[in-house]
Amino acid sequence: GAGVSQSPSNKVTEKGKDVELRCDPISGHTALYWYRQRLGQGLEFLIYFQGNSAPDKSGLPSDRFSAERTGESVSTLTIQRTQQEDSAVYLCASSLVAPATGRDSPLHFGNGTRLTVT
Amino acid sequence: QQQVKQSPQSLIVQKGGIPIINCAYENTAFDYFPWYQQFPGKGPALLIAIRPDVSEKKEGRFTISFNKSAKQFSLHIMDSQPGDSATYFCAASNTGNQFYFGTGTSLTVIP
């Protein structure tokens, strides 16, 4: 079946512009995550959506960052007034919390959006 | 505060060697411990995962050893191959909550 799809795969923008990154999770996956990965670095948690619960926004680095999710489908990560330090790969992942066991299934990642702010 | 600590940052082994990557955690509520493999330009992909009710899990050449009392777990790659050269991330989660990732280990397997 289709995996997690992210678009665009690459985005070059000028400092100060707003950008929108899109994530299409695996159908039926209730949980959706956004991570940021700077060159050669680890995964920095940004935000987590789980079903109809309030999202966990504790990882968003500033109020220039926001994210939305429509039900259990598409999510968009918006970065306003981009700065050069926002340059990174933005990874989206989804997972299914099995209702019977309450146990997580693994995260399935997209290939990311490489954002370059010039 | 880093929820999951991973070491080493980088590792170079000869083909056929057994690289070992270690992770440690503090939160005893964590109940799921996956390892991810990432190739350049790709998102991380699940390699193998373990739950705290077992001390070891093996899938092919990849083995997780889990020490619940020490709150540590490690990945061993048997008979490593150049194609295993990648970045490896450990992670931990508490069911229904977010995943916490280690900082990654860059593995190079020399032919």
Side-chain angles (χ1 to χ4, degrees), chain A residues 27-99:
Chain A
S27 178
H29 277 194
T30 55
L32 187 146
Y33 305 73
W34 284 97
Y35 290 88
R36 179 168 70 179
Q37 187 174 31
R38 291 196 166 105
L39 186 63
Q41 302 295 310
L43 300 171
E44 178 186 359
F45 167 74
L46 295 177
I47 189 168
Y48 163 53
F49 296 90
Q50 171 57 48
N52 294 320
S53 302
D56 177 352
K57 302 180 180 181
S58 60
L60 294 178
S62 77
D63 59 7
R64 296 187 296 105
F65 287 73
S66 63
E68 301 278 338
R69 187 180 187 192
T70 308
E72 292 185 351
S73 60
V74 172
S75 175
T76 55
L77 176 69
T78 301
I79 308 173
Q80 295 178 311
R81 305 181 303 282
T82 52
Q83 304 294 313
Q84 288 186 329
E85 64 262 27
D86 299 335
S87 297
V89 174
Y90 289 83
L91 290 162
C92 175
S94 69
S95 72
L96 175 66
V97 177

Side-chain angles (χ1 to χ4, degrees), chain A residues 33 35 95 104-107, chain B residues 32 34 36 91-93 97-101:
Chain A
Y33 305 73
Y35 290 88
S95 72
D104 286 318
S105 70
L107 293 184
Chain B
Y32 181 63
Y36 286 82
S93 79
N97 292 289
Q98 63 159 296
F99 284 70
Y100 295 90
F101 283 83

